[in-house]
Amino acid sequence: MAYYYSEVARTFSEYLLIPNLTRKDCVPSNVSLKTPIVKFKKGEEPSLKINIPFVSAIMQSVSDNNLAVALAKCGGLSFVFGSQSIETQAEMIRKVKKFKAGFVMSDANLSPENTLKDVLQLKEKTDHSTIAITEDGSPRAKLMGIVTSRDYRISRDSVDKKIKDFMTPFSKLIVGKANTTLSEANDIIWGHKLNCLPIIDDNQNLLYFVFRKDYDEHKQNPYEILDSQKRLLVGAGINSRDYKERVPELVKAGADILCVDSSDGFSEWQGETIKYIKETYNGTVKVGGGNVVDKEGFLYLVESGADFVKVGIGGGSICITREQKGIGRGQASSLIEVAQARDEYFNRTGIYIPICSDGGIVYDYHMVLALAMGADFIMMGRYFARFDESPSPKVKVGNNYVKEYWGEGSNRARNWQRYDMGEGDKLKFEEGVDSYVPYAGKLRDNLDITLGKIKSTMCSCGAISIQELQKTARITLVSSTSIVEGGAHDVMLKDNNL
């Protein structure tokens, strides 16, 4: 007969945190939110960490290269959505990897014989205002000069004017040599009040640019996550259908970590996908799996080779999998069981598998509950879809601005691969809706408030790290009446807009 769980499936709103002693060192400035996102052995350091426990959902309306850059600068990670062509997804990854680096290989290049029209077209295509002028227009050829917006006036200069007639020639450039360090390059930039410094070899061939803005941005973003080449970290979503073609291109483009995106990850298709990636790349390419809601699903993905496991089915604000198929589980119950399985696996093998809580977040305090219940990091869609940096359109509905937000299981996304059951190549029914979320402005402004709440709550729980929170947190179930009691009640609220 069927197996029946005796416990009710519960979600975050049914729990509250009980305060622990707030020690004198428990102040927000002492709280570290650094967390691992890939598996590691006891006593060793994980190869990939993020500085805040947030990753953005693998969704068309959430995670493109613009949000990936903004989130990585703040310490989190984006998984660029995979429900697009291999070529366009790989290009998004390349854009993130090129955005921030100490030494930037020029990807905006022309020759002296090109025209102002070519400059304007290239600027429109790449969004770069500094263009390297090399002998033959290739990125590693002999540097002849540079062109910036200060070298021409669109209102007066003919678009047919040759670049050699208005560029800043090499003889007037200050340049660095091949052995120039990043620190030395920045000193030259500041000492000569430059916006950029070309780095050349002994034959005057262009090697790299170093930009003033990169130095400034690094100082303004102390938590940004960078690879060994000082490029922003970025992840990518994949599916269990075209992974043999997609993964090589994403790896070539520079993706730091992959995640198999599926509403139900407890499947042989996902197991085969993960095994193939781990075997093909000898474990060097990091890949997570999911989604699962119990111990059995967790262990299946771990034994397949997953570097992290994503938890949650049907808890997303635009997800209707539970309604359509009747499968899923309350997010808190799912997380508690999988976290227990993760800890048992660690005690048995000495290998720690990070888990990601995906779905069910309504309020900021739910994020702390998710971490306290065992999540190493949290994946969110609705939260990030509200910001300027997300790819979804901003529209005005009534007197309010909103942003469009649609599920990967909706007809709009047509991401049938995410819900693939091994037959056919189309979406048979919807498991997601098309909706709006309130427009909230810039990511950083909102994220600062959220992180402030999380750190304050952790201090009240007597914890200054996620690991300490998971060991010492005290959590209680609450009644429906006490939930009402927790908000403003029995008063007449003032209308602050009057």
Side-chain angles (χ1 to χ4, degrees):
M1 63 177 291
Y3 179 82
Y4 291 87
Y5 281 78
S6 58
E7 294 293 325
V8 173
R10 300 188 182 279
T11 192
F12 297 131
S13 290
E14 297 179 76
Y15 292 93
L16 285 175
L17 291 151
I18 301 294
N20 281 327
L21 174 67
T22 302
R23 306 183 305 270
K24 288 184 178 180
D25 67 321
C26 288
V27 293
S29 59
N30 284 343
V31 174
S32 169
L33 295 176
K34 185 174 289 188
T35 189
I37 58 171
V38 295
K39 64 185 176 185
F40 60 96
K41 293 181 180 179
K42 185 177 183 179
E44 297 181 357
E45 283 292 309
S47 59
L48 281 177
K49 287 183 178 182
I50 49 179
N51 289 325
I52 62 172
F54 294 163
V55 298
S56 65
I58 308 169
M59 300 175 69
Q60 294 175 6
S61 57
V62 179
S63 298
D64 67 351
N65 53 286
N66 292 317
L67 189 104
V69 166
L71 185 53
K73 286 162 65 176
C74 293
L77 183 82
S78 283
F79 285 91
V80 171
F81 71 93
S83 52
Q84 59 179 316
S85 72
I86 296 172
E87 293 74 21
T88 56
Q89 188 185 20
E91 181 58 26
M92 285 188 180
I93 297 296
R94 280 190 286 269
K95 285 180 178 179
V96 178
K97 301 307 288 187
K98 289 177 181 178
F99 181 85
K100 171 68 176 76
F103 294 96
V104 183
M105 187 172 177
S106 178
D107 60 356
N109 312 283
L110 292 171
S111 78
E113 296 302 318
N114 284 109
T115 65
L116 177 57
K117 181 180 179 180
D118 297 320
V119 169
L120 299 176
Q121 289 178 342
L122 186 59
K123 184 177 178 181
E124 176 70 21
K125 179 182 177 181
T126 64
D127 200 31
H128 294 332
S129 58
T130 299
I131 297 174
I133 309 304
T134 61
E135 197 168 43
D136 62 4
S138 63
R140 288 296 181 102
K142 186 175 182 179
L143 182 65
M144 308 302 291
I146 63 171
V147 169
T148 71
S149 56
R150 291 175 296 185
D151 292 311
Y152 57 86
R153 297 177 69 178
I154 298 175
S155 60
R156 296 191 179 183
D157 290 323
S158 167
V159 293
D160 295 324
K161 189 174 185 179
K162 293 288 184 76
I163 288 176
K164 62 184 179 183
D165 295 328
F166 63 87
M167 70 180 184
T168 301
F170 181 81
S171 59
K172 293 185 178 180
L173 295 179
I174 295 172
V175 298
K177 294 295 185 179
N179 60 354
T180 302
T181 67
L182 184 59
S183 177
E184 290 169 343
N186 283 319
D187 287 342
I188 295 171
I189 287 172
W190 283 92
H192 293 274
K193 299 180 180 180
L194 305 174
N195 286 325
C196 72
L197 179 73
I199 304 295
I200 61 171
D201 65 14
D202 292 337
N203 296 316
Q204 200 178 311
N205 295 317
L206 178 63
L207 298 176
Y208 306 102
F209 277 117
V210 178
F211 291 94
R212 174 191 287 263
K213 68 179 180 64
D214 286 348
Y215 177 88
D216 292 340
E217 287 188 4
H218 178 67
K219 295 301 181 184
Q220 295 165 9
N221 301 289
Y223 296 115
E224 65 183 355
I225 50 174
L226 305 173
D227 64 16
S228 59
Q229 299 178 52
K230 297 186 182 297
R231 302 176 302 178
L232 295 173
L233 296 183
V234 62
I238 61 173
N239 63 67
S240 58
R241 274 294 184 106
D242 66 5
Y243 58 91
K244 290 182 181 179
E245 295 76 38
R246 187 174 294 268
V247 170
E249 294 304 313
L250 297 176
V251 172
K252 189 187 303 181
D256 298 283
I257 186 169
L258 308 174
C259 182
V260 189
D261 184 33
S262 174
S263 64
D264 176 12
F266 193 7
S267 74
E268 290 184 345
W269 293 287
Q270 184 153 154
E272 289 175 358
T273 302
I274 295 172
K275 286 178 183 176
Y276 175 85
I277 294 169
K278 302 308 289 187
E279 291 171 1
T280 301
Y281 293 93
N282 197 27
T284 58
V285 172
K286 307 302 179 185
V287 57
N291 287 18
V292 300
V293 294
D294 59 7
K295 176 180 180 179
E296 288 77 12
F298 169 81
L299 291 176
Y300 178 79
L301 293 180
V302 169
E303 288 161 5
S304 297
D307 290 292
F308 70 86
V309 173
K310 199 144 64 79
V311 179
I313 294 178
S317 58
I318 41 70
C319 183
I320 54 173
T321 295
R322 298 180 194 175
E323 179 182 309
Q324 292 283 58
K325 295 173 65 175
I327 67 167
R329 194 181 191 186
Q331 186 66 13
S333 295
S334 302
L335 192 53
I336 291 167
E337 179 174 332
V338 173
Q340 183 178 352
R342 184 266 319 278
D343 292 344
E344 291 172 355
Y345 185 83
F346 177 63
N347 292 332
R348 186 173 76 252
T349 66
I351 299 174
Y352 187 89
I353 312 290
I355 57 176
C356 170
S357 178
D358 179 17
I361 301 293
V362 180
Y363 305 109
D364 288 351
Y365 83 88
H366 288 170
M367 302 173 192
V368 188
L369 276 168
L371 297 171
M373 289 175 175
D376 295 281
F377 56 105
I378 303 163
M379 177 172 281
M380 295 182 290
R382 181 189 62 85
Y383 180 86
F384 291 113
R386 304 172 301 144
F387 304 143
D388 285 323
E389 294 84 354
S390 77
S392 60
K394 182 177 76 172
V395 296
K396 193 170 186 179
V397 176
N399 294 320
N400 299 308
Y401 281 102
V402 296
K403 293 207 74 175
E404 295 185 4
Y405 179 48
W406 59 95
E408 289 297 291
S410 67
N411 272 324
R412 179 172 182 174
R414 297 193 176 279
N415 185 8
W416 63 268
Q417 295 95 332
R418 189 177 197 270
Y419 303 88
D420 184 23
M421 298 299 288
E423 299 176 342
D425 59 356
K426 63 181 181 179
L427 199 67
K428 295 179 174 63
F429 56 88
E430 291 186 277
E431 292 187 45
V433 300
D434 202 339
S435 65
Y436 297 116
V437 290
Y439 169 66
K442 292 188 178 298
L443 181 147
R444 180 184 294 277
D445 295 340
N446 290 272
L447 194 58
D448 285 347
I449 295 171
T450 295
L451 295 175
K453 290 180 185 178
I454 290 174
K455 290 180 178 182
S456 179
T457 303
M458 288 175 63
C459 289
S460 293
C461 293
I464 57 174
S465 71
I466 294 172
Q467 295 71 30
E468 185 178 17
L469 177 70
Q470 292 172 348
K471 291 177 182 177
T472 63
R474 297 188 295 163
I475 304 171
T476 182
L477 278 167
V478 296
S479 68
S480 57
T481 306
S482 62
I483 292 174
V484 174
E485 179 186 62
H489 61 91
D490 301 316
V491 295
M492 295 175 62
L493 296 178
K494 293 181 179 179
D495 187 347
N496 294 322
N497 293 322
L498 296 179

